[in-house]
Amino acid sequence: MANFTGKARMAIAVNGSIPAPTLTFNQGDTAIIRVHNKMKMETSVHWHGLLLPNEEDGVPYLNTAPILPGQTHTFTFPLIQSGTYWYHSHTGVQEQAGLYGSIVIKRPEEPPMKEYVLLLSDWTDENPHQVLRYLKRGAEWYSIRKGHCKATAKQLPRATSKTR
């Protein structure tokens, strides 16, 4: 359970934290990252923005097998670039439930210095599946609810405790 807003909801933490821990490497290293799936559902990890072999990309059923409950998957790929990127699940709405983190790849010639990673994300107390459903509707539900689309607001029923 996570509580960022005063309301607790189910979440996914990696090593006990949301966001997941920052992974730090040096350019030229080979990343070896073991993902242990301790959930009762499959999961995945996609390395967003990294240039890596296709089979290490982490998109389930496209180029990497999903990580089934109780399984461990080892990602191994060369780090041929530098910069700050992020990783996240590509399974269901696990990213929206907390499965995301940052990955920092430093240039070997960079002088050591204190650094801070700022990872921006949003959080909702609503069920992520419900949010996705509303976003796929023809009208923009959240603007309507806030009264930004008054003509359309009359056409849709007010949210009830069931839909919130």
Side-chain angles (χ1 to χ4, degrees):
M1 296 300 288
N3 185 342
F4 294 111
T5 64
K7 180 180 178 185
R9 84 164 173 90
M10 290 298 292
I12 299 173
V14 176
N15 291 356
S17 70
I18 300 173
T22 297
L23 305 178
T24 305
F25 295 94
N26 289 315
Q27 183 180 12
D29 286 352
T30 296
I32 300 173
I33 303 164
R34 289 180 181 83
V35 178
H36 306 282
N37 183 1
K38 295 183 178 182
M39 298 185 290
K40 294 179 180 174
M41 63 185 121
E42 67 183 45
T43 192
S44 62
V45 179
H46 169 66
W47 311 99
H48 199 89
L50 294 184
L51 303 171
L52 40 73
N54 195 43
E55 64 273 7
E56 301 293 334
D57 193 46
V59 179
Y61 300 104
L62 182 62
N63 52 26
T64 307
I67 306 166
L68 299 176
Q71 285 189 341
T72 298
H73 181 85
T74 301
F75 290 91
T76 305
F77 49 87
L79 299 166
I80 60 174
Q81 67 204 85
S82 62
T84 302
Y85 302 91
W86 69 301
Y87 60 96
H88 59 92
S89 176
H90 253 266
T91 302
V93 291
Q94 291 178 356
E95 174 197 328
Q96 292 77 12
L99 206 165
Y100 60 91
S102 57
I103 183 167
V104 177
I105 306 168
K106 297 180 179 191
R107 280 183 242 127
E109 67 276 3
E110 283 183 48
M113 65 176 103
K114 184 68 178 165
E115 295 179 349
Y116 300 93
V117 175
L118 177 63
L119 178 60
L120 301 176
S121 68
D122 52 8
W123 185 262
T124 180
D125 290 331
E126 294 181 56
N127 179 316
H129 292 284
Q130 190 73 14
V131 172
L132 182 60
R133 197 184 104 204
Y134 285 145
L135 291 172
K136 287 184 173 185
R137 283 182 146 176
E140 212 294 288
W141 173 253
Y142 294 100
S143 288
I144 293 167
R145 226 170 70 184
K146 290 183 183 254
H148 297 293
C149 303
K150 295 193 186 302
T152 313
K154 292 177 184 174
Q155 299 168 1
L156 293 175
R158 288 293 289 173
T160 65
S161 60
K162 262 186 163 176
T163 60
R164 284 190 182 165

